[in-house]
Amino acid sequence: MKKNNENIELEKGNIHIVVEIIEYMPNAIVSKTIIKKTTGNITVSSFDAGEELDEKTSPFDMYIQIIDGVAELTINNKKLKLKLGEGIIIPAHSNHHFNANEQFKMISTVIKSGYEE
């Protein structure tokens, strides 16, 4: 699995087509940063069929929205299928991982503030 992560934000004030921000690459997971701040970030990712991200845990809630294809997501050993247009909040401190039985693209949003309360 190749993982390509481009940490350059999109240009502000320009219209873009979300699903076209990133392309599929053979045998790879590709990510592009839309916005990156100390308080959170928005990233778009493409997964080629057969790719997967290792299980991980985030200290923050993460919102995932599928913008192309179908994703398999496992949260705390519960398998879910997310289709085009569907979204889900992955709770903070949950074990989760993604599996691409077919190609898919997603937007992930992490907000790192507001946990102080």
Side-chain angles (χ1 to χ4, degrees), residues 54-62 64 73-78 80 88-98 115:
D54 293 335
E55 185 172 88
K56 64 182 192 176
T57 303
S58 170
F60 310 107
D61 290 338
M62 185 182 321
I64 302 297
L73 167 63
T74 304
I75 302 174
N76 292 331
N77 299 317
K78 180 181 176 188
L80 305 161
I88 191 167
I89 298 170
I90 300 174
H93 309 292
S94 298
N95 294 325
H96 63 277
H97 78 276
F98 291 91
Y115 289 87

Side-chain angles (χ1 to χ4, degrees), residues 25-44:
M25 288 184 60
N27 307 310
I29 298 168
V30 183
S31 296
K32 181 165 180 61
T33 301
I34 296 175
I35 298 173
K36 185 172 184 73
K37 303 290 180 212
T38 55
T39 53
N41 55 61
I42 301 172
T43 306
V44 63

Side-chain angles (χ1 to χ4, degrees), residues 7-117:
N7 282 320
I8 301 166
E9 287 186 10
L10 287 184
E11 198 170 325
K12 293 176 173 76
N14 287 345
I15 295 172
H16 56 270
I17 299 170
V18 176
V19 75
E20 293 179 359
I21 292 171
I22 200 161
E23 297 299 323
Y24 291 108
M25 288 184 60
N27 307 310
I29 298 168
V30 183
S31 296
K32 181 165 180 61
T33 301
I34 296 175
I35 298 173
K36 185 172 184 73
K37 303 290 180 212
T38 55
T39 53
N41 55 61
I42 301 172
T43 306
V44 63
S45 301
S46 69
F47 288 65
D48 194 25
E51 296 301 309
E52 64 180 294
L53 275 182
D54 293 335
E55 185 172 88
K56 64 182 192 176
T57 303
S58 170
F60 310 107
D61 290 338
M62 185 182 321
Y63 181 73
I64 302 297
Q65 181 180 2
I66 304 306
I67 58 172
D68 190 44
V70 177
E72 182 180 286
L73 167 63
T74 304
I75 302 174
N76 292 331
N77 299 317
K78 180 181 176 188
K79 273 190 182 178
L80 305 161
K81 263 197 179 178
L82 294 171
K83 298 179 290 225
L84 174 65
E86 292 182 332
I88 191 167
I89 298 170
I90 300 174
H93 309 292
S94 298
N95 294 325
H96 63 277
H97 78 276
F98 291 91
N99 189 30
N101 293 321
E102 59 185 82
Q103 288 183 327
F104 74 90
K105 293 180 184 178
M106 70 178 191
I107 295 176
S108 59
T109 304
V110 178
I111 299 173
K112 298 178 179 178
S113 60
Y115 289 87
E116 301 84 13
E117 302 161 14

